[in-house]
Amino acid sequence: MKYLKKRKKEIIISLMIVGIMAIICLIFYKPMMAIFKNPQALRLQLQSFGILGYVVLAMIMAFQVIFVFLPGEIIEIMAGFIYGPIGGLIVCMLGSAIGSILIYLFVKKLGTPFIDRLIGLEKIKQIHFLNDPQKRNILLFIVFFIPGTPKDILTYFIPLTDMKLSAFLFITTIARIPSIITSTIGGHAIGVENYVFSIIVFVITGIISLGGILFYKKINQNKAIEYHL
């Protein structure tokens, strides 16, 4: 009972998150199943929503950026499937910008205790290059530029530094373009039933993502060595 009382807030937040995820799954279950049954019909139907469709998808992308445990690639592929590579890219970048701004404002307002409860400060200690103002921005741009790196989790840690909102927004949106465009190109290929090309795109993206993960680990290891010295 004592443990439950201490963890009351965390338990409530966890239950809320599970509830939200359940509602999302219920809402999108039928449309997702419809994609496999008749993808072209659903694609045309969603396109018929006009500007409203763009807004809704951008809000879904913003929601994904805020709730980092949700896979953003699925939304990016869906955006490419519905609106094409460029249209899907614009929608995803807009959603990413909205989500990033909200995170920045929340973290600046609530500070370190908020991040400690939400994610845990142990993880930020592992991201050593955030402590180096001279190299931080360029390294963050590279990390966000390469597919496969933990971009969304970093959006919660960056506001704890002295980085301004303008630089933060530039890095968390513009630098995401290669990562997003590969997904929207693949999604568009599925939409036009060019499945071979979509597989090639996703395989190449997977290989690049693996390189991105290795790069991310390497820059943290290098910094860790410097701090120990």
Side-chain angles (χ1 to χ4, degrees):
M1 292 298 292
K2 288 182 180 180
Y3 176 81
L4 292 176
K5 287 181 179 179
K6 287 181 180 179
R7 299 288 179 179
K8 186 178 178 180
K9 288 184 179 180
E10 288 81 354
I11 291 170
I12 292 172
I13 292 171
S14 298
L15 290 173
M16 288 177 63
I17 290 170
V18 170
I20 292 170
M21 288 182 66
I23 292 169
I24 291 172
C25 289
L26 288 172
I27 292 171
F28 289 99
Y29 176 77
K30 285 186 177 180
M32 288 300 292
M33 290 302 102
I35 289 175
F36 296 103
K37 290 180 181 178
N38 193 346
Q40 296 305 330
L42 180 64
R43 182 167 172 252
L44 292 172
Q45 184 180 1
L46 291 172
Q47 287 176 343
S48 69
F49 292 152
I51 191 67
L52 179 62
Y54 281 93
V55 173
V56 170
L57 197 55
M59 290 301 104
I60 293 172
M61 186 65 188
F63 183 86
Q64 181 278 321
V65 172
I66 294 169
F67 292 90
V68 296
F69 52 84
L70 297 175
E73 289 77 10
I74 294 175
I75 300 168
E76 292 164 6
I77 292 169
M78 177 67 76
F81 174 81
I82 300 169
Y83 298 114
I86 303 303
L89 172 67
I90 293 170
V91 171
C92 290
M93 286 184 64
L94 177 61
S96 177
I98 294 170
S100 295
I101 290 171
L102 291 174
I103 289 171
Y104 186 91
L105 296 176
F106 272 120
V107 174
K108 286 293 186 184
K109 179 74 174 177
L110 301 175
T112 304
F114 170 69
I115 295 298
D116 191 25
R117 285 181 185 148
L118 185 69
I119 301 171
L121 292 178
E122 299 80 17
K123 291 184 179 180
I124 194 172
K125 292 175 184 177
Q126 299 169 9
I127 309 172
H128 304 281
F129 64 87
L130 286 180
N131 297 319
D132 187 347
Q134 294 182 342
K135 297 180 180 179
R136 181 186 61 212
N137 288 14
I138 187 64
L139 285 175
L140 279 171
F141 187 91
I142 294 170
V143 168
F144 274 80
F145 193 80
I146 303 172
T149 52
K151 301 172 183 60
D152 292 335
I153 197 78
L154 282 170
T155 58
Y156 277 91
F157 293 146
I158 299 170
L160 293 177
T161 69
D162 59 353
M163 185 182 290
K164 293 183 179 179
L165 177 59
S166 56
F168 171 78
L169 197 58
F170 180 81
I171 289 171
T172 56
T173 53
I174 302 300
R176 283 180 187 261
I177 290 176
S179 180
I180 295 174
I181 196 67
T182 52
S183 296
T184 57
I185 288 172
H188 176 67
I190 294 172
V192 296
E193 299 183 2
N194 191 347
Y195 301 118
V196 174
F197 181 69
S198 67
I199 291 171
I200 292 171
V201 170
F202 293 137
V203 168
I204 293 172
T205 303
I207 294 170
I208 296 171
S209 298
L210 180 60
I213 293 169
L214 295 173
F215 170 78
Y216 181 75
K217 287 183 177 180
K218 185 175 178 60
I219 59 174
N220 273 319
Q221 287 172 355
N222 288 343
K223 280 293 174 184
I225 292 170
E226 287 178 24
Y227 286 124
H228 284 306
L229 291 174

